[in-house]
Amino acid sequence: MPDLCFDAYSGLTNDVTLYGGKSAFTQLEHNIVAGYLITAGVISLFSNIVVLLMFWKFKELRTATNFIIINLAFTDIGVAGIGYPMSAASDIHGSWKFGYAGCQIYAALNIFFGMASIGLLTVVAIDRYLTICRPDIGQKMTMQSYNLLILAAWLNAVFWSSMPVVGWASYAPDPTGATCTINWRQNDVSFISYTMAVIAVNFVLPLSAMFYCYYNVSATVKRYKASNCLDSANIDWSDQMDVTKMSIVMIIMFLVAWSPYSIVCLWASFGDPKTIPAPMAIIAPLFAKSSTFYNPCIYVIANKKFRRAIIGMVRCQTRQRITINSQVPMTTSQQPLTQ
């Protein structure tokens, strides 16, 4: 879930006014949050830029599947490069300092990049399912097919992030006064319908699709192993298991990062926002923001091709052989885009 629920604790005080009013938190707490955002932003920008440099330097990494990862890196860079600095500057200032227009832009972009990230993770799961469970379909996938799936993820993000701008719910500063998100102070039918729609379309549905895909991937791999026919399948299993393992870890970390935030969302929607503990109201969304910098770590830890690419960059090698030789034909998702 993107930054929908920062305002879950809007009932903390009646002194919070829009755009520069008194914050519900102390300046020390603002400074701590600013320090976290600055640190997380630097780490996220650096690590995701390194990921993009790897794709630029090593053409063996430029496959259809990894093209989805490139798009994920851009969503993380978007949040770290735009959202983090504005929020950190406001925390140092003690309240939102970019006015109404800045609030609308900030909130819309954060929700846009967050929802695009969820959509792209769903596309990764679909790719794993087609490649491993339905190779008859996976081998027919073209780059145009992948581009359409990726475009759908971005267009879905555009739709949901623009709705509060045109009147379905609205954007406003949160109780910290230093971040903008959905306006919980107007807990009306418009807000509730928008929130429930976002939870259904951009959380429950994607997670259901991911679970279905990875459950079937796991069952298919077990079936092949039990029948000792991995080598006869038209799949480069060494490479595909690496990519699948990386994808599953990304989904698990997504759940770990966003589950506390989702609990705050549901609590505020169906309960009394005033009863949400202050630490939970501020820590849950900050914890969720960690999703912008853990993905690059997962790429390197869970995928040996990424590890080899990192080593090649550290050693300043002009070229490093990354491709795993295989005697079986490659699916579209495995083939370099330059071929």
Side-chain angles (χ1 to χ4, degrees):
M1 295 288 298
D3 290 353
L4 275 176
C5 300
F6 260 121
D7 265 346
Y9 208 63
S10 59
L12 183 66
T13 178
N14 292 325
D15 293 329
V16 179
T17 57
L18 299 180
Y19 314 113
K22 181 181 177 182
S23 172
F25 296 89
T26 67
Q27 186 57 47
L28 175 60
E29 290 171 323
H30 278 299
N31 291 339
I32 292 173
V33 172
Y36 168 81
L37 291 172
I38 292 171
T39 302
V42 170
I43 294 174
S44 180
L45 279 175
F46 175 77
S47 57
N48 281 285
I49 288 174
V50 168
V51 168
L52 294 181
L53 287 175
M54 285 194 305
F55 286 113
W56 173 76
K57 185 172 183 179
F58 300 105
K59 69 178 183 179
E60 294 89 345
L61 288 177
R62 298 177 216 157
T63 64
T65 300
N66 286 344
F67 186 57
I68 309 172
I69 303 300
I70 293 176
N71 279 262
L72 273 170
F74 277 115
T75 66
D76 293 337
I77 289 174
V79 174
I82 299 174
Y84 281 25
M86 294 178 72
S87 185
S90 295
D91 272 301
I92 293 173
H93 182 260
S95 63
W96 183 253
K97 62 175 298 183
F98 298 100
Y100 174 82
C103 181
Q104 303 305 301
I105 294 171
Y106 170 91
L109 286 177
N110 272 275
I111 289 182
F112 168 71
F113 287 122
M115 291 187 179
S117 179
I118 294 172
L120 291 168
L121 285 172
T122 307
V123 175
V124 171
I126 293 172
D127 167 72
R128 297 295 83 212
Y129 172 77
L130 294 178
T131 300
I132 293 177
C133 303
R134 298 297 305 272
D136 55 323
I137 299 177
Q139 291 170 18
K140 297 177 182 177
M141 292 286 287
T142 63
M143 271 310 303
Q144 183 178 6
S145 304
Y146 281 93
N147 287 336
L148 288 175
L149 289 174
I150 293 171
L151 179 62
W154 285 108
L155 291 178
N156 177 71
V158 169
F159 174 80
W160 291 104
S161 61
S162 64
M163 286 300 99
V165 177
V166 299
W168 190 10
S170 62
Y171 293 129
D174 72 350
T176 70
T179 301
C180 285
T181 184
I182 297 298
N183 187 7
W184 284 81
R185 294 175 183 84
Q186 296 179 356
N187 198 356
D188 53 13
V189 174
S190 177
F191 160 76
I192 294 175
S193 63
Y194 176 81
T195 303
M196 292 301 99
V198 167
I199 289 175
V201 175
N202 294 284
F203 192 71
V204 176
L205 186 60
L207 287 181
S208 299
M210 293 175 198
F211 176 81
Y212 174 83
C213 290
Y214 288 121
Y215 173 81
N216 282 278
V217 166
S218 176
T220 300
V221 172
K222 288 180 180 179
R223 186 167 64 251
Y224 276 125
K225 285 183 177 179
S227 59
N228 264 336
C229 61
L230 286 180
D231 292 337
S232 64
N234 194 27
I235 298 175
D236 179 353
W237 283 99
S238 177
D239 186 24
Q240 295 305 325
M241 288 304 97
D242 255 10
V243 176
T244 302
K245 178 175 64 175
M246 177 184 71
S247 305
I248 292 174
V249 173
M250 288 166 59
I251 301 302
I252 293 174
M253 290 303 299
F254 167 82
L255 286 172
V256 170
W258 286 101
S259 290
Y261 197 60
S262 300
I263 293 173
V264 172
C265 285
L266 294 173
W267 189 339
S269 297
F270 297 104
D272 184 359
K274 296 180 181 180
T275 63
I276 300 175
M280 184 176 184
I282 188 64
I283 292 176
L286 290 178
F287 189 55
K289 283 183 177 291
S290 64
S291 61
T292 61
F293 59 80
Y294 65 62
N295 277 339
C297 299
I298 295 174
Y299 305 153
V300 175
I301 294 173
N303 193 308
K304 56 178 169 286
K305 286 189 176 182
F306 280 83
R307 290 197 297 272
R308 292 173 183 174
I310 281 288
I311 294 173
M313 290 185 65
V314 170
R315 293 177 177 176
C316 298
Q317 296 177 351
T318 57
R319 180 174 180 80
Q320 175 154 326
R321 187 67 176 172
I322 300 174
T323 303
I324 301 173
N325 291 328
S326 174
Q327 298 302 316
V328 299
M330 293 188 292
T331 63
T332 299
S333 66
Q334 296 170 269
Q335 295 172 356
L337 301 181
T338 52
Q339 290 183 354

